[in-house]
Amino acid sequence: QVQLVESGGGSVQVGGSLTLSCVASGFTYSRACMAWFRQAPGQERLAVAAIEAGGSTMYSEPVKGRFTISRDNAKNILNLKMNDLKPDDTAMYYCAAKNDACNVWTWRHKYNTWGQGTQVTVSS
C-alpha cells in the first residue's frame, strides 16, 4: 500500500521552530522526488520545498533561509526543519511524492502520492 504519513505539526510562537517528518511506504522511496506543500484556509496548496533522490534541494522564496528539507533513504523518511516561524507559515503541511525527477517541482498535479497533512499554527 502506497502511503505517506506526516507528523510533527503543532502550535508555536513567532520565531519558534518545528520539524515535520513524513514516513513513506509502498513505493521506491529512494528514487522519488519528495516535496512539502502547504495550504492555508481558503487558499490553494503551494509548494514549500522539494528534494531530489540524490539530495539536491529547492525552496520557495518565502521559506528560503528558514526551512531545510532533508531525506533518509535508508529509513524512508522525509523531514522539514522550520526555523524562525512567522504567522504566514500557518497552514496544513502535506508530504508528496512523484516517481521521477523534481523538475517542475511546484506543480502539485505532478505528484501522485500525498499524505493526510499535519497542522502548523504560528501565533504572535
Side-chain angles (χ1 to χ4, degrees):
Q1 180 183 359
V2 177
Q3 195 172 18
L4 296 172
V5 179
E6 302 99 332
S7 62
S11 296
V12 295
Q13 293 191 325
V14 170
S17 298
L18 280 175
T19 298
L20 307 182
S21 295
C22 171
V23 179
S25 59
F27 64 99
T28 307
Y29 174 82
S30 61
R31 297 181 183 176
C33 168
M34 299 298 300
W36 289 97
F37 283 72
R38 67 186 181 186
Q39 187 169 20
Q43 299 186 22
E44 64 178 315
R45 192 172 298 188
L46 298 175
V48 173
I51 185 166
E52 294 273 20
S56 298
T57 59
M58 48 223 80
Y59 298 92
S60 63
E61 284 299 324
V63 307
K64 275 184 180 177
R66 300 188 297 123
F67 290 13
T68 302
I69 189 171
S70 62
R71 65 190 297 163
D72 184 332
N73 286 343
K75 297 181 179 179
N76 287 11
I77 294 176
L78 178 73
N79 291 316
L80 185 69
K81 172 68 172 174
M82 306 184 294
N83 294 326
D84 189 24
L85 283 161
K86 306 176 186 300
D88 283 350
D89 296 319
T90 296
M92 186 72 79
Y93 283 72
Y94 297 90
C95 174
K98 67 188 188 83
N99 295 321
D100 56 12
C102 286
N103 52 309
V104 293
W105 67 277
T106 60
W107 294 10
R108 63 181 184 269
H109 69 275
K110 291 290 188 180
Y111 293 83
N112 51 286
T113 303
W114 292 86
Q116 83 289 348
T118 186
Q119 177 68 37
V120 172
T121 303
V122 184
S123 58
S124 56

